[in-house]
Amino acid sequence: MKKIFLAGHNGMVGSAIYRLLKRRKDIKIITCSRSELDLCDQKAVKNFMEIERPDEVIIAAAKVGGIYANNQYPADFIYQNLMIACNLINSSHLTKVKKVLYIGSNCSYPKYATQPIKESELLSGKLEPTNEPYSIAKISGLILCESYNRQFKNSYTDFRSVIPTNLYGVNDNYHSKNSHVIPALIKKIHFAKKYRKSNI
């Protein structure tokens, strides 16, 4: 039975992936809460990977937030996301994980990218200043995957990245200040309806 470590299974993207994987009978899903494993702790991540020995790793874990949160906590956003990517990708390499899927972010593209955005636009211009630290961390994860593939051309290194578009849904962050635009609007509309407000 194939073992997949899903990092970030409680978040919006991670929980959606978890629900899909749960349907499969040929997969054992390995999960860990933040209180059980600090993904910013290099030694703890390496020890965890050495014990669990997953065949594949899906990295959906990230520190995320909207414009306000990115503006208020830029150091937290770049540091934590860099550490998550570095620790999981390097530990996957050291423990000979066959496949890694790293979930990137569409804010990795330049602020003034040509529309509709093409992959070739990546690293072709300035990033949106409000979330530049987060964007740089996510870009680093993409480049890490690419770099491990280039340097270690062997039978097991297959590290890939995907950049989904703006996402929203079950288990999203509906915080009044730290959420993204769509969940913030959903929350405002919900409260307007609940409290019979005539506008939002």
Side-chain angles (χ1 to χ4, degrees), residues 56-199:
E56 298 179 11
V57 173
I58 300 172
I59 305 172
K63 178 171 181 61
V64 296
I67 293 168
Y68 176 84
N70 274 271
N71 254 338
Q72 291 296 306
Y73 314 109
D76 292 348
F77 274 84
I78 193 166
Y79 174 77
Q80 290 181 36
N81 285 298
L82 278 171
M83 295 310 295
I84 289 167
C86 289
N87 292 339
L88 285 169
I89 292 167
N90 188 57
S91 291
S92 293
H93 165 69
L94 294 174
T95 55
K96 295 183 168 51
V97 169
K98 293 182 179 73
K99 292 184 179 182
V100 170
L101 179 64
Y102 177 77
I103 312 293
S105 170
N106 68 345
C107 72
S108 299
Y109 284 101
K111 180 176 182 176
Y112 297 111
T114 305
Q115 301 295 322
I117 298 174
K118 294 180 180 174
E119 263 187 76
S120 58
E121 293 284 322
L122 199 64
L123 299 174
S124 67
K126 286 188 175 274
L127 299 165
E128 165 58 46
T130 54
N131 57 14
E132 184 181 56
Y134 174 75
S135 303
I136 288 171
K138 297 305 277 185
I139 290 167
S140 297
L142 280 132
I143 302 298
L144 266 171
C145 288
E146 183 183 290
S147 299
Y148 276 83
N149 288 336
R150 282 175 54 202
Q151 185 172 337
F152 304 103
K153 297 182 178 105
N154 52 44
S155 58
Y156 67 84
T157 304
D158 183 3
F159 294 0
R160 301 183 186 203
S161 318
V162 292
I163 300 179
T165 186
N166 282 331
L167 304 171
Y168 65 96
V170 178
N171 290 332
D172 206 339
N173 173 11
Y174 295 94
H175 189 276
S176 58
K177 285 186 177 177
N178 295 337
S179 65
H180 288 103
V181 173
I182 294 175
L185 284 171
I186 289 170
K187 183 175 182 179
K188 286 182 178 190
I189 292 166
H190 169 73
F191 277 110
K193 186 175 179 184
K194 183 176 179 179
Y195 297 108
R196 300 172 190 248
K197 303 281 185 187
S198 58
N199 56 54

Side-chain angles (χ1 to χ4, degrees), residues 1-6 17-31 54-58 99:
M1 183 177 283
K2 183 161 62 178
K3 292 170 71 176
I4 297 179
F5 172 40
L6 174 56
I17 294 169
Y18 182 82
R19 289 190 299 274
L20 285 171
L21 291 178
K22 228 18 196 162
R23 299 176 188 170
R24 300 269 302 270
K25 303 295 181 199
D26 59 332
I27 289 173
K28 179 184 178 187
I29 310 166
I30 302 163
T31 59
D55 300 298
E56 298 179 11
V57 173
I58 300 172
K99 292 184 179 182

